[in-house]
Amino acid sequence: MFGNILIWFVVIPVIMMAGLGLCRNSSMNAIRAVMVVCSTVLLGLSIWLCVDFLRLREMGVDDEMLYTGSWMWYAPLNIHLAVGVDGISVLMLMLSAVIVFAGTFASWKINPLPKNFFLWFALLSTGVFGFFISIDIFTMFMFYEVALIPMYLLIGVWGTGRKEYSAMKLTLMLMGGSAFLMLGLLGIYWHSAPEGGQLTWNILEISRNASIAQEWQNMLFCFTFVGFGVLGAMFPFHTWSPDGHACAPTAVSMLHAGVLMKLGGYGCFRIAIYLLPQAANELAWIFIVLTGISIVYGAFSACVQTDLKYINAYSSVSHCGMVLFAILMLNTTAMTGAILQMLSHGLMTALFFALIGMIYGRTHTRDIRQMGGLMKIMPYLGVCYMIAGFASLGLPGLSGFVAEMTIFFGSFQNADLFHRIFVIAATCSIVITAVYILRVVGKLLLGPVQDEHHLQLTDATWFERFSTVTLILCIAGIGCFPNWINETIQHSFAPIMAAIQSAAL
Amino acid sequence: MDYSQFGSMIPELIVLGIFMLVFLFDTFSNEKGKKFLTPFTTILFGLGTIAIWLLPADGEMVFGGMYVNDTVTNALKAILNIGVFIVFLQSAKWVESDEVAIRKGEFYELILVTLFGMYLMVSARHFLLFIIGLESASLPLAALVAFNKKHYESHEAAIKYIMTAVFSSAILLAGLSFVYAFSGGSLYFDDIAISIGQGEMSGLLIMALAFVIAGIGFKLSLVPFHLWTADVYQGAPTAITSYLSVISKGAAAVAFFIIFVQCFGSVYSEAWEWMLYAVIILTITVGNLFAIRQKNMKRFMAFSSISQAGYIMLGAIAANGLGLASMLFYIFVYVVSNLGAFAVISTIEENSGKLSMDDYNGLHKTNPWLSFAMTLAMFSLAGIPPFAGFFSKILIFTSVTGTGSWALYMLVLIALINTIISLYYYLLVVKAMWISPEEPKIGSFRSACSSRIALWLCIAGIVFFGIVPYIYQYCYDAVLNSLSFLFLF
C-alpha cells in the first residue's frame, strides 16, 4: 500500500499532524520546522509526480488514470480506498502543494495557539490532497468533508471581524451542500451497475458501466452539481464566500480560495459531468444560467466593495463561476480553459490574500478609503499586488490571460443563441474585472498617502517575500509556458468527451 | 428439564455471575474491603466483556424457542458491555463521594440487573420473556435515577421516569394483547409471524402495531413519546444519564428491529413503514430543533440523544441485513461518542460543579485536553470525518437508500438536512470552548485517573473505529452468520 506514491500525499500531512502533536505549544521553531519540512517534501513530491507523469505519457502509457491502486476498506459495501491520477489531478495536487507551502510561510507569526492552528491546517490539507488522489467516490466524499470542517475552527479562532458568524455560516452552507452531494453519491452507488452486477464506488467502473437511468441521472446531477457548486461559490449559494474569506486568517483564505474552491470545480467535472453525462447534456442550461449570473454578479459586486478582502472574495465568486461555466460548455477547449482557470485563480487569489494579509498586518485596516500611496511606502508589496491584479484582469504573459482566452474560445464553439448570450455576458466580466482591479490599485497603491502613520511602515520581510515570489513565479510560469499544462491534461478529456457524446446520441 | 440449555445463555450467566459476586462482596466485606468494590466490579466486568466478545454464540433456540443468543444479539451485548464498562470507569470517582459511597454496591447491582434485563429483551423470542426483560430493565433504572437522595430534582426525575415507564409498559401490553388475538393464542414470534402473514390487514392490527411502537418508543424516547427525556436526563446523576442515553437506547432499538422484522415483517409496507417514517422524521427534527436552545449540558445531550435515536431507527426502517449491521455499528459509535461527551461533562461537573454551556466559555485556556476530547466527541456525534460518527451515519444512510424506495430516499434527504441543524448546535459547544473570548469560568484541574481512562477509551473508539472497519465488519458478519436474519439479504 505504501509503495504507491499517491498514498504519500495523505500520509505526509498525517505525519505532519503527528509531528505537530509532539511539539510543545510554545516552541514556535519546532512547529515551523515541522511545517516547512513537510510542506517542502509535499511540494517536491508533487513536482516529481508531475515529471514522472509526463514521462509515462511520453512513453505512450495512455490509461485514463495512472498510479492506480485499490485497497478494500468496507468490504460489505465494496468501499475501497482507490487512488489514481490523471493530468488534471496531477496539476491540482501541484497547486495544492504550492499553496500549502506558501501558506506556511504566510502564517509564520500566527498567534495565539500556533500548534493548534497548524494541526487544523494540516488536517485541511490532508482532506484536499486526499480528495484529488481518490477515484472512489466514497473516499473522495470523506476527504471532501475532512477538508471542510477545519475551516470552522481556523476562521473562528484565528479570524478577524465577525468571525463567529462567518465561520458558522460558511461551515453550515458548505455542509449543507455536502448533504445534497452525499445523497447524489448514494444514488450513484445504488445504480452503479446493471441489474445483478457488483455495485461499485469506483469512478472508472461506474463510468464504464454507464447504467444509471435517465430520470435518476437528472435528479442525481442536480444534487451533485449543487453540492459541489456550493463550494464553487455558484450563485445563489455563494454568500458564504465573501464573509468567510473576509474573516479568515491569511493562510486559510489562501488555501480556501486557492484550493478548496477548486474542489468544487473538480468535483463537478469528475463526478457530476463524467458519471452523469446524459443529464449533463440535458440540464447544463440551468447551471449555465446560474454560473453566468455568478460571473457577472460577482464582478459587479466587487466594484462597489471597500474592504480589500471582500473585493477579492467577490472576484473569486466571479472567477470560480467562470470555471463551472466553462465546464458546462461540454467541449474540450472550454474544459481545458476551466482547468487553466482553476490553476490561475488558485495561485492568483492565494497571492492576493497573502498580500492583503501582509498589508493588513501593517496598516491594521482593510478599508481602501483609509489607505493610499502605499507604493511609495512598501514598493515590494505594491508591485506584487499589481502583478496579482494584472493576472486577475487577464494581462497577456500572466496566467489569467491564457485561461480566460481558452475559456471564451471554447465557449464560442456552442453556436446556439442561448449559449451566445451567456458567453457574451460572461466575456463582459473581463471589462468589469479591469474596473475593480484598477480602482483598487489606483486608490490603494497610487495617489497621495492618506494616513501619515503609514509612512513609518516597513516593507516585506524575508518569509513574506519568499511566499510571494513562489506564487508569482508560478503565475508567470503558467502565463508564459501554458503548453506543458496542455500536454499534461490533454489525455484527460477524451473519456469525458466520449461519455458526453455517446450520451447525446 | 434439560439444564444444558443454560449453556446457550453465556452472556446472561456472565452478567448474573458478576452480579452475584458483587452482591456477596458488598454484603460480606467490612469498611476496609468496601474500598475495593469499585475496582473489583470494574475489572470483573471488563473481563466479562472480553469473554462475551470472544465466546461464540451458538444461536440455538432454547427453552422451547423462547430464548436465542445468536451472533446478532451477542454482538449487541458485547457493544452494550463496552458502554457499561466505560460508564463504570467514568463514575468511579462519583461513587466514592460522601453522599453515594455507602450505597455504591447498590449502584453496581442495579446497573447489572438492568443490563441483564436488556440482554433478555434482545434475546427473547417470546413476548412474555420480552416483557420480563423490559420490566427488569426499566424498574431498577427508576431507583438509579433517584440515586441522589438529597436532591429533589433527582426524585422528580425518578417519579417522571417510573410513571412513563409504567404507562408505556401498559400501552405495550395493550398492543400485545391485540397481537395475541391475531396469533390465535400464541406469543411466540414465529407463530405471530405466520398468523399475521396469513391473515388479512385490519384496523385492529394497525392499532396493535401503533401501540407496540408507542410502547417501545417510550424507551427509545422517540417523538412524540419523548417528553420525559429532558427532565429525567437533567435530574438524574450524570453517570445514570449517560447510562440511560446510550445503553437502554441501544438495547431497545435492536429489540424494536427484531420484533418488527421477525413478527410483523410481512405487513411492513402496509402497516408500520409509514408509522415509523413519520416517527423518525419527527424524532430527528424535533430533537434537533429543541437542542438548539438548550443551555444546560445534560438537557442539551438529552435532545441530542433524541435525534440520534431517530438516526438509529433509520436502520429499522431499512429493514434489511445492511440496516441491522449499520444499526449495530451506529449503536457502537453512538456509545463511544456520547459517553465521550458525558465523560467530559461529568468530570467538569465533579470538579467544578458547572453544567451550563456558558460555563464552558474559554475552556481551552484552562483544560485544553478536555476541550479537545469534547470537540472530537461533538464532531463524531455530528458526523464529521475522519471520526467514527461519519462512517456510522453514511453507512446507515446507505442501507436506507439501498431499499430502492423513493419515499425512503426522501427520508434520507430529510435526515441529511437535519445533520446540518445538528452540526449547528454541536458546533455551539465547540464555539464556547475554543472561540468565545470570555475568561474561563472553570479553573484548571486534573481529572481522576479512572475518568481519564474512560475518556481515552472513547477517543480511541471515535478516532480508530471509523478508519479501521473492524467493528463494522464484526457487526456485518454477525448479521450474516445469524440464522434468524439470513432472510434479510
Side-chain angles (χ1 to χ4, degrees), chain B residues 29-57:
Chain B
S29 63
N30 54 10
E31 276 303 304
K32 241 182 199 170
K34 281 235 170 57
K35 282 205 176 100
F36 297 101
L37 183 63
T38 305
F40 173 76
T41 318
T42 312
I43 290 169
L44 205 58
F45 195 80
L47 294 176
T49 306
I50 295 170
I52 294 179
W53 270 102
L54 296 181
L55 291 176

mmCIF file of all heavy atoms in Angstrom, chain B residues 29-57:
data_model
loop_
_atom_site.group_PDB
_atom_site.id
_atom_site.type_symbol
_atom_site.label_atom_id
_atom_site.label_comp_id
_atom_site.label_asym_id
_atom_site.label_seq_id
_atom_site.Cartn_x
_atom_site.Cartn_y
_atom_site.Cartn_z
ATOM 1 N N SER B 29 -18.239 -7.728 53.014
ATOM 2 C CA SER B 29 -16.962 -7.070 53.252
ATOM 3 C C SER B 29 -17.131 -6.000 54.320
ATOM 4 O O SER B 29 -18.209 -5.451 54.504
ATOM 5 C CB SER B 29 -16.436 -6.437 51.976
ATOM 6 O OG SER B 29 -17.327 -5.436 51.567
ATOM 7 N N ASN B 30 -16.018 -5.696 55.001
ATOM 8 C CA ASN B 30 -16.067 -4.662 56.022
ATOM 9 C C ASN B 30 -15.737 -3.309 55.398
ATOM 10 O O ASN B 30 -15.549 -3.200 54.183
ATOM 11 C CB ASN B 30 -15.092 -4.992 57.145
ATOM 12 C CG ASN B 30 -13.696 -5.220 56.597
ATOM 13 O OD1 ASN B 30 -13.458 -4.950 55.424
ATOM 14 N ND2 ASN B 30 -12.806 -5.729 57.407
ATOM 15 N N GLU B 31 -15.636 -2.295 56.210
ATOM 16 C CA GLU B 31 -15.395 -0.953 55.716
ATOM 17 C C GLU B 31 -14.168 -0.891 54.813
ATOM 18 O O GLU B 31 -14.190 -0.246 53.770
ATOM 19 C CB GLU B 31 -15.198 -0.005 56.913
ATOM 20 C CG GLU B 31 -16.487 0.514 57.507
ATOM 21 C CD GLU B 31 -17.348 1.232 56.477
ATOM 22 O OE1 GLU B 31 -16.839 2.188 55.865
ATOM 23 O OE2 GLU B 31 -18.511 0.843 56.276
ATOM 24 N N LYS B 32 -13.118 -1.563 55.265
ATOM 25 C CA LYS B 32 -11.872 -1.529 54.504
ATOM 26 C C LYS B 32 -12.056 -2.185 53.143
ATOM 27 O O LYS B 32 -11.632 -1.683 52.115
ATOM 28 C CB LYS B 32 -10.786 -2.266 55.293
ATOM 29 C CG LYS B 32 -9.618 -1.379 55.656
ATOM 30 C CD LYS B 32 -8.584 -2.197 56.370
ATOM 31 C CE LYS B 32 -7.644 -1.298 57.149
ATOM 32 N NZ LYS B 32 -6.778 -2.069 58.026
ATOM 33 N N GLY B 33 -12.715 -3.337 53.193
ATOM 34 C CA GLY B 33 -12.900 -4.091 51.954
ATOM 35 C C GLY B 33 -13.756 -3.343 50.942
ATOM 36 O O GLY B 33 -13.550 -3.457 49.736
ATOM 37 N N LYS B 34 -14.685 -2.560 51.449
ATOM 38 C CA LYS B 34 -15.608 -1.839 50.554
ATOM 39 C C LYS B 34 -14.860 -0.918 49.609
ATOM 40 O O LYS B 34 -15.336 -0.602 48.524
ATOM 41 C CB LYS B 34 -16.606 -1.026 51.393
ATOM 42 C CG LYS B 34 -17.723 -1.855 51.961
ATOM 43 C CD LYS B 34 -19.076 -1.285 51.551
ATOM 44 C CE LYS B 34 -20.218 -2.229 51.889
ATOM 45 N NZ LYS B 34 -20.303 -2.612 53.306
ATOM 46 N N LYS B 35 -13.667 -0.485 50.078
ATOM 47 C CA LYS B 35 -12.894 0.423 49.223
ATOM 48 C C LYS B 35 -12.563 -0.239 47.887
ATOM 49 O O LYS B 35 -12.394 0.436 46.880
ATOM 50 C CB LYS B 35 -11.586 0.795 49.917
ATOM 51 C CG LYS B 35 -11.772 1.839 50.983
ATOM 52 C CD LYS B 35 -10.468 2.610 51.190
ATOM 53 C CE LYS B 35 -10.687 3.718 52.191
ATOM 54 N NZ LYS B 35 -10.215 3.365 53.538
ATOM 55 N N PHE B 36 -12.448 -1.563 47.930
ATOM 56 C CA PHE B 36 -12.034 -2.259 46.711
ATOM 57 C C PHE B 36 -13.207 -2.665 45.841
ATOM 58 O O PHE B 36 -13.019 -3.328 44.835
ATOM 59 C CB PHE B 36 -11.196 -3.486 47.078
ATOM 60 C CG PHE B 36 -9.935 -3.124 47.785
ATOM 61 C CD1 PHE B 36 -9.829 -3.236 49.154
ATOM 62 C CD2 PHE B 36 -8.863 -2.618 47.063
ATOM 63 C CE1 PHE B 36 -8.668 -2.874 49.806
ATOM 64 C CE2 PHE B 36 -7.696 -2.248 47.710
ATOM 65 C CZ PHE B 36 -7.599 -2.370 49.090
ATOM 66 N N LEU B 37 -14.410 -2.293 46.268
ATOM 67 C CA LEU B 37 -15.574 -2.723 45.499
ATOM 68 C C LEU B 37 -15.539 -2.174 44.080
ATOM 69 O O LEU B 37 -15.800 -2.893 43.108
ATOM 70 C CB LEU B 37 -16.857 -2.256 46.206
ATOM 71 C CG LEU B 37 -18.144 -2.712 45.539
ATOM 72 C CD1 LEU B 37 -18.243 -4.218 45.570
ATOM 73 C CD2 LEU B 37 -19.354 -2.113 46.229
ATOM 74 N N THR B 38 -15.199 -0.900 43.956
ATOM 75 C CA THR B 38 -15.207 -0.289 42.642
ATOM 76 C C THR B 38 -14.209 -0.940 41.685
ATOM 77 O O THR B 38 -14.606 -1.389 40.604
ATOM 78 C CB THR B 38 -14.945 1.220 42.755
ATOM 79 O OG1 THR B 38 -15.900 1.740 43.654
ATOM 80 C CG2 THR B 38 -15.049 1.897 41.431
ATOM 81 N N PRO B 39 -12.930 -1.025 42.056
ATOM 82 C CA PRO B 39 -12.010 -1.695 41.126
ATOM 83 C C PRO B 39 -12.400 -3.148 40.895
ATOM 84 O O PRO B 39 -12.304 -3.641 39.755
ATOM 85 C CB PRO B 39 -10.647 -1.591 41.822
ATOM 86 C CG PRO B 39 -10.902 -1.107 43.177
ATOM 87 C CD PRO B 39 -12.227 -0.434 43.183
ATOM 88 N N PHE B 40 -12.882 -3.809 41.956
ATOM 89 C CA PHE B 40 -13.287 -5.205 41.824
ATOM 90 C C PHE B 40 -14.358 -5.355 40.745
ATOM 91 O O PHE B 40 -14.222 -6.133 39.792
ATOM 92 C CB PHE B 40 -13.811 -5.695 43.182
ATOM 93 C CG PHE B 40 -14.407 -7.066 43.163
ATOM 94 C CD1 PHE B 40 -13.594 -8.182 43.101
ATOM 95 C CD2 PHE B 40 -15.788 -7.233 43.220
ATOM 96 C CE1 PHE B 40 -14.151 -9.448 43.090
ATOM 97 C CE2 PHE B 40 -16.344 -8.507 43.202
ATOM 98 C CZ PHE B 40 -15.520 -9.607 43.140
ATOM 99 N N THR B 41 -15.422 -4.555 40.864
ATOM 100 C CA THR B 41 -16.511 -4.652 39.895
ATOM 101 C C THR B 41 -16.031 -4.286 38.503
ATOM 102 O O THR B 41 -16.347 -4.969 37.523
ATOM 103 C CB THR B 41 -17.645 -3.690 40.290
ATOM 104 O OG1 THR B 41 -17.829 -3.764 41.680
ATOM 105 C CG2 THR B 41 -18.904 -4.031 39.576
ATOM 106 N N THR B 42 -15.270 -3.199 38.417
ATOM 107 C CA THR B 42 -14.881 -2.728 37.101
ATOM 108 C C THR B 42 -14.012 -3.761 36.392
ATOM 109 O O THR B 42 -14.232 -4.077 35.217
ATOM 110 C CB THR B 42 -14.127 -1.394 37.227
ATOM 111 O OG1 THR B 42 -14.874 -0.554 38.087
ATOM 112 C CG2 THR B 42 -13.955 -0.742 35.897
ATOM 113 N N ILE B 43 -13.047 -4.292 37.117
ATOM 114 C CA ILE B 43 -12.144 -5.255 36.474
ATOM 115 C C ILE B 43 -12.909 -6.520 36.112
ATOM 116 O O ILE B 43 -12.786 -7.055 35.002
ATOM 117 C CB ILE B 43 -10.958 -5.574 37.404
ATOM 118 C CG1 ILE B 43 -10.066 -4.341 37.502
ATOM 119 C CG2 ILE B 43 -10.173 -6.758 36.890
ATOM 120 C CD1 ILE B 43 -9.024 -4.420 38.575
ATOM 121 N N LEU B 44 -13.738 -6.972 37.040
ATOM 122 C CA LEU B 44 -14.528 -8.176 36.772
ATOM 123 C C LEU B 44 -15.392 -7.961 35.533
ATOM 124 O O LEU B 44 -15.481 -8.818 34.644
ATOM 125 C CB LEU B 44 -15.420 -8.449 37.985
ATOM 126 C CG LEU B 44 -15.868 -9.885 38.186
ATOM 127 C CD1 LEU B 44 -14.654 -10.777 38.311
ATOM 128 C CD2 LEU B 44 -16.720 -9.975 39.447
ATOM 129 N N PHE B 45 -15.991 -6.784 35.463
ATOM 130 C CA PHE B 45 -16.871 -6.513 34.336
ATOM 131 C C PHE B 45 -16.075 -6.415 33.040
ATOM 132 O O PHE B 45 -16.527 -6.877 31.993
ATOM 133 C CB PHE B 45 -17.642 -5.215 34.581
ATOM 134 C CG PHE B 45 -18.803 -5.068 33.668
ATOM 135 C CD1 PHE B 45 -19.986 -5.725 33.936
ATOM 136 C CD2 PHE B 45 -18.707 -4.315 32.516
ATOM 137 C CE1 PHE B 45 -21.060 -5.629 33.080
ATOM 138 C CE2 PHE B 45 -19.774 -4.219 31.651
ATOM 139 C CZ PHE B 45 -20.949 -4.869 31.944
ATOM 140 N N GLY B 46 -14.880 -5.831 33.131
ATOM 141 C CA GLY B 46 -14.035 -5.768 31.940
ATOM 142 C C GLY B 46 -13.726 -7.159 31.426
ATOM 143 O O GLY B 46 -13.813 -7.435 30.229
ATOM 144 N N LEU B 47 -13.396 -8.063 32.336
ATOM 145 C CA LEU B 47 -13.107 -9.441 31.929
ATOM 146 C C LEU B 47 -14.344 -10.079 31.302
ATOM 147 O O LEU B 47 -14.257 -10.769 30.285
ATOM 148 C CB LEU B 47 -12.636 -10.259 33.138
ATOM 149 C CG LEU B 47 -11.296 -9.813 33.735
ATOM 150 C CD1 LEU B 47 -10.977 -10.637 34.975
ATOM 151 C CD2 LEU B 47 -10.192 -9.964 32.701
ATOM 152 N N GLY B 48 -15.500 -9.819 31.940
ATOM 153 C CA GLY B 48 -16.743 -10.366 31.389
ATOM 154 C C GLY B 48 -16.982 -9.870 29.976
ATOM 155 O O GLY B 48 -17.403 -10.618 29.096
ATOM 156 N N THR B 49 -16.691 -8.593 29.752
ATOM 157 C CA THR B 49 -16.881 -8.018 28.423
ATOM 158 C C THR B 49 -16.017 -8.724 27.402
ATOM 159 O O THR B 49 -16.488 -9.102 26.322
ATOM 160 C CB THR B 49 -16.514 -6.521 28.454
ATOM 161 O OG1 THR B 49 -17.255 -5.917 29.487
ATOM 162 C CG2 THR B 49 -16.810 -5.870 27.137
ATOM 163 N N ILE B 50 -14.756 -8.925 27.777
ATOM 164 C CA ILE B 50 -13.854 -9.611 26.848
ATOM 165 C C ILE B 50 -14.378 -11.015 26.560
ATOM 166 O O ILE B 50 -14.391 -11.477 25.411
ATOM 167 C CB ILE B 50 -12.428 -9.663 27.434
ATOM 168 C CG1 ILE B 50 -11.889 -8.240 27.536
ATOM 169 C CG2 ILE B 50 -11.517 -10.513 26.571
ATOM 170 C CD1 ILE B 50 -10.604 -8.133 28.310
ATOM 171 N N ALA B 51 -14.872 -11.677 27.610
ATOM 172 C CA ALA B 51 -15.389 -13.040 27.424
ATOM 173 C C ALA B 51 -16.555 -13.036 26.438
ATOM 174 O O ALA B 51 -16.642 -13.889 25.553
ATOM 175 C CB ALA B 51 -15.822 -13.615 28.764
ATOM 176 N N ILE B 52 -17.449 -12.061 26.575
ATOM 177 C CA ILE B 52 -18.604 -12.040 25.675
ATOM 178 C C ILE B 52 -18.164 -11.759 24.245
ATOM 179 O O ILE B 52 -18.703 -12.328 23.299
ATOM 180 C CB ILE B 52 -19.638 -11.008 26.159
ATOM 181 C CG1 ILE B 52 -20.206 -11.467 27.502
ATOM 182 C CG2 ILE B 52 -20.763 -10.844 25.156
ATOM 183 C CD1 ILE B 52 -21.212 -10.534 28.090
ATOM 184 N N TRP B 53 -17.161 -10.885 24.075
ATOM 185 C CA TRP B 53 -16.650 -10.635 22.718
ATOM 186 C C TRP B 53 -16.113 -11.914 22.112
ATOM 187 O O TRP B 53 -16.312 -12.185 20.928
ATOM 188 C CB TRP B 53 -15.501 -9.623 22.745
ATOM 189 C CG TRP B 53 -15.915 -8.211 22.604
ATOM 190 C CD1 TRP B 53 -16.013 -7.306 23.607
ATOM 191 C CD2 TRP B 53 -16.303 -7.510 21.411
ATOM 192 N NE1 TRP B 53 -16.430 -6.099 23.108
ATOM 193 C CE2 TRP B 53 -16.613 -6.193 21.774
ATOM 194 C CE3 TRP B 53 -16.402 -7.875 20.072
ATOM 195 C CZ2 TRP B 53 -17.032 -5.233 20.872
ATOM 196 C CZ3 TRP B 53 -16.819 -6.922 19.158
ATOM 197 C CH2 TRP B 53 -17.125 -5.617 19.548
ATOM 198 N N LEU B 54 -15.391 -12.699 22.952
ATOM 199 C CA LEU B 54 -14.641 -13.806 22.370
ATOM 200 C C LEU B 54 -15.454 -15.092 22.266
ATOM 201 O O LEU B 54 -15.286 -15.857 21.329
ATOM 202 C CB LEU B 54 -13.370 -14.061 23.191
ATOM 203 C CG LEU B 54 -12.395 -12.883 23.173
ATOM 204 C CD1 LEU B 54 -11.161 -13.211 23.985
ATOM 205 C CD2 LEU B 54 -12.003 -12.517 21.739
ATOM 206 N N LEU B 55 -16.331 -15.348 23.242
ATOM 207 C CA LEU B 55 -17.044 -16.613 23.225
ATOM 208 C C LEU B 55 -18.033 -16.640 22.061
ATOM 209 O O LEU B 55 -18.726 -15.647 21.804
ATOM 210 C CB LEU B 55 -17.794 -16.816 24.544
ATOM 211 C CG LEU B 55 -16.890 -17.054 25.746
ATOM 212 C CD1 LEU B 55 -17.735 -17.138 27.009
ATOM 213 C CD2 LEU B 55 -16.103 -18.327 25.561
ATOM 214 N N PRO B 56 -18.096 -17.743 21.363
ATOM 215 C CA PRO B 56 -19.009 -17.815 20.226
ATOM 216 C C PRO B 56 -20.460 -17.957 20.703
ATOM 217 O O PRO B 56 -20.720 -18.513 21.760
ATOM 218 C CB PRO B 56 -18.549 -19.074 19.488
ATOM 219 C CG PRO B 56 -17.932 -19.912 20.550
ATOM 220 C CD PRO B 56 -17.334 -18.978 21.549
ATOM 221 N N ALA B 57 -21.377 -17.413 19.905
ATOM 222 C CA ALA B 57 -22.793 -17.575 20.219
ATOM 223 C C ALA B 57 -23.311 -18.763 19.424
ATOM 224 O O ALA B 57 -23.055 -18.858 18.236
ATOM 225 C CB ALA B 57 -23.541 -16.316 19.839
#
